[in-house]
């Protein structure tokens, strides 16, 4: 993967702004440690940092349609196009001559051939900026499910954009400010963020399946992909076979790489299925054994199970790795390493995140990157097959709210009364829920129960999944690791969207359809393992250090977090030994404390002004 950034300005000569553009580009060095490039013209500037995965010698960017200063189109691209070989053959038949083997050039020439409809032909994960010099028009494009991030800010005479907010923040035209909406996103909806909201005031995110068209007169957003509701006519056997074929094809396509590749193996059915399919495809291609990686913590064997973490990963990882025949490595993460990684993950995410869960993921990815550049993940299977507890909780499904927030406190409960009156978190959350429901593609004639299930799946895909994908991308790219997600193949998502709940969960079994589709690949104890979420550390020291840090903040009259949060309420909760409300829905006693401390760290480190 890579990092992209740029600046469009109709009133400024950007040929004189090379230093600023290079500073914007340099902020993304972690995303692209292998090379960098900048392209400048009077009104458009594009920057690129490269992680070489396909065609290391020929894929330099920004890429132009022709050498020299008279380029008609310039592309800065982040992603992988898994059907680039088929598209290349089609474009060559139409007369296009290629200078490289890279998928980047396929994207560029696809736009020259098909214009704005080109993304409808793509199978992959991508976020890119394409400058059309003839039209003086910029396109910002993001993949179907939003696996790759892309942020933008409209200023008085153009736009700024970047793979991460830090690139936009490096331009003096943009200031780090937080307004009422941003506060609501951080405190009321951290587990259901608004599509397109970038938290910072004036910062937007290109929405999944959309492109943004930036011209002199107008800037507008255009949707190029959406889910379509239709009656599912396949029987159970055909449905299982289709799911298996689509998943196997997605995995095999995503094995294309000119650099070392591995899988992330948690011992659940999702990651184990991906690993088994990858290992089989690599064996057929004569590529040898597949490397796999997992994470664990000292003392995890003594941890008490809960509704989200029902079983410990390690025994299932060992069983799956042995059965599949991978070269497996378990990354053990001690307490002190988690604490040391906090600043790194804050800088990676550019906003308060999920604390120790981000830190452990960062440490896992850092070790993986020592041996691989690309990793395949089982992310998104629970969203498309209905694996999370809220899919099976009648009370949560019946509530007129995001089901995963039903009956749960959020960090918004800690806001100061004056801030709460301005932010109105309950109203903000209710309005966000109504907007989300309005986007659901309906199927006429569906029963009330099936219609509600469809709503919940759409909420999961558009409000629950995006922060998970963002977390994986930002933390992995902070160490230069590309993570691919076969379950986000839009063809598989489109098919499963219309599969009825009775087929997705036959006999009431969570993810029964997936389990049955891959049953021949895995041992039964792995295939039938109950859903168990990403592991959390049982560390006592981590909690002690954060508690001490919170007490220091309470004693600091200038702690910026208490411009938002009720100091007295936090003091009473900690004195009573009660947990602070967490931004995560999964049980995590230290999650709220983590969030409080990290918000303060973020406000200081990014010098965020409160509006």
């Amino acid at each position: 993967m890579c990092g992209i950034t740029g600046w469009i300005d109709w009133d400024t000569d950007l040929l004189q702004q090379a230093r600023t553009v290079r500073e914007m580009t340099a902020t993304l060095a972690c995303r692209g440690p292998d090379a960098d490039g900048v392209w400048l013209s009077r009104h458009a500037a594009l920057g690129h940092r490269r992680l070489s995965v396909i065609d290391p010698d020929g894929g330099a960017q920004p890429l132009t349609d022709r050498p020299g200063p008279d380029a008609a189109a310039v592309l800065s691209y982040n992603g992988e196009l898994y059907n680039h070989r088929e598209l290349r053959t089609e474009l060559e038949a139409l007369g296009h001559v290629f200078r490289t083997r890279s998928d980047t050039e396929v994207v560029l020439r696809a736009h020259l051939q098909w214009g704005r409809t080109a993304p409808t032909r793509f199978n992959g994960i991508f976020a890119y900026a394409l400058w059309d010099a003839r039209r003086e028009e910029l396109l910002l494009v993001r993949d179907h499910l939003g696996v790759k991030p892309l942020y933008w800010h409209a200023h008085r005479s153009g736009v700024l954009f970047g793979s991460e907010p830090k690139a936009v923040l490096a331009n003096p035209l943009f200031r780090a400010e937080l307004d009422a909406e941003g506060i609501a996103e951080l405190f009321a909806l951290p587990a259901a963020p608004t599509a397109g909201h970038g938290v910072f005031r004036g910062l937007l995110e290109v929405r999944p399946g959309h492109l943004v068209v930036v011209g002199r007169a107008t800037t507008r957003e255009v949707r190029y992909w959406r889910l379509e509701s239709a009656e599912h006519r396949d029987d159970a056997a055909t449905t299982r076979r289709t799911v298996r074929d689509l998943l196997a094809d997605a995995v095999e396509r995503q094995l294309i790489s000119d650099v070392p590749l591995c899988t992330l193996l948690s011992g659940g059915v999702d990651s184990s299925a991906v690993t088994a399919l990858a290992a089989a495809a690599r064996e057929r291609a004569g590529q040898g054994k597949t490397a796999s990686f997992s994470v664990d913590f000292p003392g995890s064997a003594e941890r008490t199970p809960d509704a989200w973490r029902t079983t410990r990963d390690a025994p299932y990882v060992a069983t799956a790795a042995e059965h599949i025949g991978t070269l497996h490595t378990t990354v053990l993460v001690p307490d002190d390493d988690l604490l040391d990684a906090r600043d790194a993950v804050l800088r990676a995410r550019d906003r308060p995140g999920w604390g120790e869960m981000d830190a452990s993921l960062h440490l896992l990815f850092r070790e993986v990157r020592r041996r691989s550049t690309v990793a395949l993940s089982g992310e998104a299977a629970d969203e498309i097959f209905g694996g999370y507890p809220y899919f099976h909780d009648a009370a949560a499904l019946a509530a007129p709210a995001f089901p995963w927030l039903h009956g749960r406190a959020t960090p918004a409960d800690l806001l100061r009364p004056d801030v709460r009156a301005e932010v109105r978190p309950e109203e903000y959350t209710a309005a966000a829920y109504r907007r989300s429901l309005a986007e659901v593609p309906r199927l006429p004639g569906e029963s009330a129960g099936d219609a509600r299930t469809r709503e919940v799946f759409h909420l999961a895909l558009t409000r629950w999944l995006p922060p998970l994908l963002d977390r994986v991308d930002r933390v992995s790219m902070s160490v230069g690791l590309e993570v691919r997600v076969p379950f986000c193949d839009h063809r598989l998502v489109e098919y499963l969207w219309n599969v009825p709940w009775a087929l997705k969960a036959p006999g009431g079994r969570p993810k029964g359809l997936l389990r049955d589709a891959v049953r021949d690949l895995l041992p039964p104890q792995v295939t039938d393992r109950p859903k168990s979420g990403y592991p959390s550390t049982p560390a006592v020291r981590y909690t002690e250090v954060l508690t001490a840090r919170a007490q220091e903040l309470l004693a600091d009259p200038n702690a910026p977090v208490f411009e938002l949060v009720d100091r007295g309420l936090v003091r009473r909760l900690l004195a009573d030994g009660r947990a602070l409300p967490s931004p995560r829905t999964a049980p995590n006693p230290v999650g709220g404390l983590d969030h409080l401390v990290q918000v303060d760290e973020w406000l200081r480190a990014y010098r965020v002004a409160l509006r």
Side-chain angles (χ1 to χ4, degrees), residues 35-50:
D36 69 322
V38 166
W39 182 91
L40 298 172
S41 68
R42 183 172 179 81
H43 296 302
L46 276 65
H48 190 267
R49 291 291 316 199
R50 187 179 185 211

PDB file of all heavy atoms in Angstrom, residues 35-50:
ATOM      1  N   ALA A  35       9.682   4.651  -1.440  1.00  0.00           N
ATOM      2  CA  ALA A  35       9.970   5.718  -2.402  1.00  0.00           C
ATOM      3  C   ALA A  35       8.978   6.852  -2.198  1.00  0.00           C
ATOM      4  O   ALA A  35       7.938   6.690  -1.556  1.00  0.00           O
ATOM      5  CB  ALA A  35       9.883   5.194  -3.838  1.00  0.00           C
ATOM      6  N   ASP A  36       9.316   8.023  -2.769  1.00  0.00           N
ATOM      7  CA  ASP A  36       8.390   9.149  -2.715  1.00  0.00           C
ATOM      8  C   ASP A  36       8.449   9.908  -4.026  1.00  0.00           C
ATOM      9  O   ASP A  36       9.381   9.773  -4.813  1.00  0.00           O
ATOM     10  CB  ASP A  36       8.705  10.077  -1.539  1.00  0.00           C
ATOM     11  CG  ASP A  36      10.020  10.829  -1.732  1.00  0.00           C
ATOM     12  OD1 ASP A  36      10.971  10.218  -2.256  1.00  0.00           O
ATOM     13  OD2 ASP A  36      10.087  12.008  -1.358  1.00  0.00           O
ATOM     14  N   GLY A  37       7.416  10.701  -4.277  1.00  0.00           N
ATOM     15  CA  GLY A  37       7.372  11.496  -5.490  1.00  0.00           C
ATOM     16  C   GLY A  37       6.372  12.620  -5.365  1.00  0.00           C
ATOM     17  O   GLY A  37       5.398  12.514  -4.612  1.00  0.00           O
ATOM     18  N   VAL A  38       6.612  13.711  -6.098  1.00  0.00           N
ATOM     19  CA  VAL A  38       5.713  14.863  -6.123  1.00  0.00           C
ATOM     20  C   VAL A  38       5.557  15.311  -7.560  1.00  0.00           C
ATOM     21  O   VAL A  38       6.538  15.337  -8.326  1.00  0.00           O
ATOM     22  CB  VAL A  38       6.263  16.014  -5.246  1.00  0.00           C
ATOM     23  CG1 VAL A  38       5.541  17.314  -5.535  1.00  0.00           C
ATOM     24  CG2 VAL A  38       6.135  15.666  -3.772  1.00  0.00           C
ATOM     25  N   TRP A  39       4.336  15.663  -7.939  1.00  0.00           N
ATOM     26  CA  TRP A  39       4.058  16.221  -9.261  1.00  0.00           C
ATOM     27  C   TRP A  39       3.385  17.565  -9.062  1.00  0.00           C
ATOM     28  O   TRP A  39       2.417  17.675  -8.298  1.00  0.00           O
ATOM     29  CB  TRP A  39       3.159  15.281 -10.055  1.00  0.00           C
ATOM     30  CG  TRP A  39       2.854  15.760 -11.455  1.00  0.00           C
ATOM     31  CD1 TRP A  39       3.562  15.482 -12.587  1.00  0.00           C
ATOM     32  CD2 TRP A  39       1.760  16.591 -11.861  1.00  0.00           C
ATOM     33  NE1 TRP A  39       2.990  16.084 -13.681  1.00  0.00           N
ATOM     34  CE2 TRP A  39       1.877  16.775 -13.263  1.00  0.00           C
ATOM     35  CE3 TRP A  39       0.700  17.199 -11.187  1.00  0.00           C
ATOM     36  CZ2 TRP A  39       0.965  17.546 -14.000  1.00  0.00           C
ATOM     37  CZ3 TRP A  39      -0.204  17.971 -11.910  1.00  0.00           C
ATOM     38  CH2 TRP A  39      -0.076  18.133 -13.302  1.00  0.00           C
ATOM     39  N   LEU A  40       3.878  18.598  -9.749  1.00  0.00           N
ATOM     40  CA  LEU A  40       3.374  19.948  -9.564  1.00  0.00           C
ATOM     41  C   LEU A  40       2.935  20.567 -10.887  1.00  0.00           C
ATOM     42  O   LEU A  40       3.580  20.384 -11.922  1.00  0.00           O
ATOM     43  CB  LEU A  40       4.453  20.848  -8.955  1.00  0.00           C
ATOM     44  CG  LEU A  40       4.994  20.483  -7.567  1.00  0.00           C
ATOM     45  CD1 LEU A  40       6.179  21.371  -7.234  1.00  0.00           C
ATOM     46  CD2 LEU A  40       3.914  20.618  -6.514  1.00  0.00           C
ATOM     47  N   SER A  41       1.832  21.305 -10.819  1.00  0.00           N
ATOM     48  CA  SER A  41       1.433  22.172 -11.920  1.00  0.00           C
ATOM     49  C   SER A  41       0.901  23.457 -11.283  1.00  0.00           C
ATOM     50  O   SER A  41       0.939  23.611 -10.061  1.00  0.00           O
ATOM     51  CB  SER A  41       0.365  21.512 -12.796  1.00  0.00           C
ATOM     52  OG  SER A  41      -0.856  21.386 -12.084  1.00  0.00           O
ATOM     53  N   ARG A  42       0.405  24.363 -12.096  1.00  0.00           N
ATOM     54  CA  ARG A  42       0.004  25.658 -11.546  1.00  0.00           C
ATOM     55  C   ARG A  42      -1.125  25.536 -10.519  1.00  0.00           C
ATOM     56  O   ARG A  42      -1.086  26.166  -9.458  1.00  0.00           O
ATOM     57  CB  ARG A  42      -0.425  26.603 -12.679  1.00  0.00           C
ATOM     58  CG  ARG A  42      -0.789  28.006 -12.187  1.00  0.00           C
ATOM     59  CD  ARG A  42      -1.029  28.961 -13.347  1.00  0.00           C
ATOM     60  NE  ARG A  42      -1.405  30.270 -12.866  1.00  0.00           N
ATOM     61  CZ  ARG A  42      -0.550  31.194 -12.419  1.00  0.00           C
ATOM     62  NH1 ARG A  42       0.741  30.916 -12.410  1.00  0.00           N
ATOM     63  NH2 ARG A  42      -0.978  32.364 -12.004  1.00  0.00           N
ATOM     64  N   HIS A  43      -2.115  24.692 -10.796  1.00  0.00           N
ATOM     65  CA  HIS A  43      -3.274  24.613  -9.911  1.00  0.00           C
ATOM     66  C   HIS A  43      -3.453  23.245  -9.251  1.00  0.00           C
ATOM     67  O   HIS A  43      -4.404  23.055  -8.491  1.00  0.00           O
ATOM     68  CB  HIS A  43      -4.548  24.968 -10.681  1.00  0.00           C
ATOM     69  CG  HIS A  43      -4.570  26.375 -11.173  1.00  0.00           C
ATOM     70  ND1 HIS A  43      -4.452  27.457 -10.339  1.00  0.00           N
ATOM     71  CD2 HIS A  43      -4.655  26.869 -12.440  1.00  0.00           C
ATOM     72  CE1 HIS A  43      -4.489  28.565 -11.053  1.00  0.00           C
ATOM     73  NE2 HIS A  43      -4.606  28.243 -12.322  1.00  0.00           N
ATOM     74  N   ALA A  44      -2.577  22.298  -9.523  1.00  0.00           N
ATOM     75  CA  ALA A  44      -2.698  20.957  -8.929  1.00  0.00           C
ATOM     76  C   ALA A  44      -1.328  20.458  -8.497  1.00  0.00           C
ATOM     77  O   ALA A  44      -0.345  20.597  -9.233  1.00  0.00           O
ATOM     78  CB  ALA A  44      -3.325  19.980  -9.923  1.00  0.00           C
ATOM     79  N   ALA A  45      -1.301  19.860  -7.313  1.00  0.00           N
ATOM     80  CA  ALA A  45      -0.075  19.252  -6.796  1.00  0.00           C
ATOM     81  C   ALA A  45      -0.439  17.908  -6.183  1.00  0.00           C
ATOM     82  O   ALA A  45      -1.378  17.826  -5.374  1.00  0.00           O
ATOM     83  CB  ALA A  45       0.575  20.155  -5.755  1.00  0.00           C
ATOM     84  N   LEU A  46       0.277  16.851  -6.559  1.00  0.00           N
ATOM     85  CA  LEU A  46       0.027  15.505  -6.039  1.00  0.00           C
ATOM     86  C   LEU A  46       1.307  14.952  -5.430  1.00  0.00           C
ATOM     87  O   LEU A  46       2.389  15.093  -6.015  1.00  0.00           O
ATOM     88  CB  LEU A  46      -0.458  14.564  -7.143  1.00  0.00           C
ATOM     89  CG  LEU A  46      -1.950  14.567  -7.495  1.00  0.00           C
ATOM     90  CD1 LEU A  46      -2.363  15.908  -8.088  1.00  0.00           C
ATOM     91  CD2 LEU A  46      -2.288  13.442  -8.469  1.00  0.00           C
ATOM     92  N   GLY A  47       1.167  14.330  -4.252  1.00  0.00           N
ATOM     93  CA  GLY A  47       2.298  13.696  -3.600  1.00  0.00           C
ATOM     94  C   GLY A  47       2.042  12.217  -3.378  1.00  0.00           C
ATOM     95  O   GLY A  47       0.887  11.787  -3.294  1.00  0.00           O
ATOM     96  N   HIS A  48       3.122  11.453  -3.261  1.00  0.00           N
ATOM     97  CA  HIS A  48       2.972  10.000  -3.113  1.00  0.00           C
ATOM     98  C   HIS A  48       4.127   9.418  -2.311  1.00  0.00           C
ATOM     99  O   HIS A  48       5.286   9.792  -2.487  1.00  0.00           O
ATOM    100  CB  HIS A  48       2.934   9.333  -4.491  1.00  0.00           C
ATOM    101  CG  HIS A  48       2.551   7.891  -4.441  1.00  0.00           C
ATOM    102  ND1 HIS A  48       3.473   6.860  -4.369  1.00  0.00           N
ATOM    103  CD2 HIS A  48       1.328   7.298  -4.430  1.00  0.00           C
ATOM    104  CE1 HIS A  48       2.831   5.708  -4.327  1.00  0.00           C
ATOM    105  NE2 HIS A  48       1.543   5.937  -4.362  1.00  0.00           N
ATOM    106  N   ARG A  49       3.791   8.511  -1.396  1.00  0.00           N
ATOM    107  CA  ARG A  49       4.777   7.661  -0.713  1.00  0.00           C
ATOM    108  C   ARG A  49       4.458   6.229  -1.071  1.00  0.00           C
ATOM    109  O   ARG A  49       3.303   5.804  -1.008  1.00  0.00           O
ATOM    110  CB  ARG A  49       4.700   7.843   0.803  1.00  0.00           C
ATOM    111  CG  ARG A  49       5.166   9.180   1.320  1.00  0.00           C
ATOM    112  CD  ARG A  49       6.650   9.431   1.203  1.00  0.00           C
ATOM    113  NE  ARG A  49       7.493   8.323   1.584  1.00  0.00           N
ATOM    114  CZ  ARG A  49       8.789   8.455   1.902  1.00  0.00           C
ATOM    115  NH1 ARG A  49       9.367   9.645   1.887  1.00  0.00           N
ATOM    116  NH2 ARG A  49       9.507   7.401   2.214  1.00  0.00           N
ATOM    117  N   ARG A  50       5.485   5.449  -1.443  1.00  0.00           N
ATOM    118  CA  ARG A  50       5.242   4.129  -2.017  1.00  0.00           C
ATOM    119  C   ARG A  50       5.711   2.988  -1.133  1.00  0.00           C
ATOM    120  O   ARG A  50       6.824   3.007  -0.604  1.00  0.00           O
ATOM    121  CB  ARG A  50       5.940   4.012  -3.376  1.00  0.00           C
ATOM    122  CG  ARG A  50       5.562   2.714  -4.097  1.00  0.00           C
ATOM    123  CD  ARG A  50       6.220   2.605  -5.433  1.00  0.00           C
ATOM    124  NE  ARG A  50       5.729   1.410  -6.140  1.00  0.00           N
ATOM    125  CZ  ARG A  50       6.435   0.696  -6.988  1.00  0.00           C
ATOM    126  NH1 ARG A  50       7.670   1.050  -7.284  1.00  0.00           N
ATOM    127  NH2 ARG A  50       5.921  -0.371  -7.553  1.00  0.00           N
TER     128      ARG A  50
END
